[in-house]
Amino acid sequence: MGIKKVGLNRNVRPQTLAEKIFFLDFMKGLKTTIKHLFRKVITVDFPYEVVEPTPRFRGVHGLRNVDGTEKDDFDAWVKKLKIKPPEKGETRCIACKFCQAACPVPDIFEIKAKKLDVPKDHPHYGLKVLDVFNMDLGKCMFCGLCTLACPTICIIHTDIYDLSTYSRRGWVLDKEKLSKIADDFIARRGSEKYDEKSEWPDYQRLWNEADLARAKAWENNPPKLGPNYADQT
């Protein structure tokens, strides 16, 4: 096999002596650089400067706690799945695994419920509580399907977009961390994201017409329980 000879591109004008001496090509590039020095900066000096995302931004997940703003059918879901009625400040999660069933990458979730170890005459005998809820955000696509599938509006997206960590294990968040993230987010921007009288435009609200239509259709045809639910009954 021979070696192909590549000749010079004859269509390119060779540099003149003045261009070689005074680096005119370099000066042309430097001119563009200097011109942009006096323009308005459009970048952000992260992490020293941060950007506040729009209300419907899909950032790091959070688990909402019971705060008195639950849907009307919240108690019905708790009773149906035999979960101990959560008190104020406890997680809304009922371990239905709808989020895992809706997720394109179900390995993200690790959800387990355990039965309460109480005597038979106890009012909570036979009921369960959420034991484990872990999310591996290193595998997440942030599509938001899990938040739409949640019947108790427990799992939500927040405005946190900084996922930097020193190890992959740092992307795995347990229920305590997820609950704290949701509490902090709602304290900061809850009125923007959940208040129907929000100043944000209709198309930016969390529950716009498309979401409401989906929820109404869900009431008439509720989804089945998530995968591997039989091992918790």
Side-chain angles (χ1 to χ4, degrees):
M1 183 176 65
I3 299 176
K4 182 180 179 181
K5 293 184 179 180
V6 180
L8 296 176
N9 187 354
R10 301 299 180 183
N11 296 325
V12 178
R13 181 181 62 81
Q15 287 184 324
T16 63
L17 181 61
E19 289 175 338
K20 292 180 180 180
I21 294 176
F22 297 105
F23 302 102
L24 295 185
D25 286 345
F26 171 75
M27 297 303 294
K28 289 180 181 178
L30 187 60
K31 176 184 176 182
T32 302
T33 303
I34 295 175
K35 182 172 62 176
H36 282 78
L37 287 177
F38 300 98
R39 292 186 177 181
K40 183 180 179 180
V41 178
I42 60 174
T43 56
V44 176
D45 189 12
F46 183 82
Y48 305 105
E49 298 176 3
V50 294
V51 175
E52 187 175 83
T54 58
R56 291 179 64 84
F57 177 77
R58 295 197 291 260
V60 174
H61 300 71
L63 290 181
R64 296 190 67 182
N65 293 326
V66 174
D67 55 5
T69 61
E70 291 73 36
K71 295 171 60 179
D72 296 337
D73 59 350
F74 177 75
D75 293 335
W77 279 105
V78 171
K79 184 177 180 180
K80 181 178 181 180
L81 273 70
K82 299 179 180 179
I83 297 292
K84 182 184 81 68
E87 299 178 359
K88 189 173 183 178
E90 295 180 343
T91 181
R92 292 183 179 184
C93 182
I94 55 177
C96 63
K97 295 189 177 181
F98 284 179
C99 52
Q100 188 177 26
C103 182
V105 191
D107 291 343
I108 290 175
F109 295 92
E110 181 185 3
I111 307 172
K112 296 180 182 179
K114 66 177 181 180
K115 288 187 176 181
L116 292 172
D117 186 12
V118 294
K120 290 185 178 181
D121 58 348
H122 195 279
H124 293 159
Y125 175 76
L127 300 182
K128 299 170 293 185
V129 293
L130 180 67
D131 184 32
V132 177
F133 192 106
N134 295 331
M135 288 190 67
D136 186 356
L137 296 184
K139 303 175 182 177
C140 183
M141 300 188 297
F142 297 90
C143 62
L145 293 178
C146 57
T147 63
L148 297 178
C150 183
T152 61
I153 317 181
C154 175
I155 184 169
I156 61 173
H157 280 292
T158 68
D159 59 355
I160 299 175
Y161 52 83
D162 183 8
L163 291 172
S164 57
T165 179
Y166 288 102
S167 67
R168 294 184 179 180
R169 182 63 189 172
W171 288 327
V172 180
L173 304 181
D174 57 21
K175 60 180 181 179
E176 286 76 17
K177 291 181 181 178
L178 291 168
S179 294
K180 186 177 185 305
I181 289 173
D183 289 342
D184 293 343
F185 170 68
I186 293 174
R188 289 186 291 105
R189 303 188 66 179
S191 60
E192 299 176 12
K193 199 130 184 169
Y194 298 101
D195 186 4
E196 294 181 357
K197 298 181 180 180
S198 171
E199 61 182 2
W200 296 100
D202 291 339
Y203 66 88
Q204 288 186 336
R205 292 179 184 170
L206 181 66
W207 300 110
N208 56 20
E209 292 183 2
D211 294 331
L212 292 174
R214 185 184 299 106
K216 187 175 182 180
W218 194 354
E219 292 177 358
N220 299 328
N221 186 22
K224 297 180 180 180
L225 295 178
N228 303 324
Y229 184 77
D231 60 354
Q232 299 184 26
T233 57

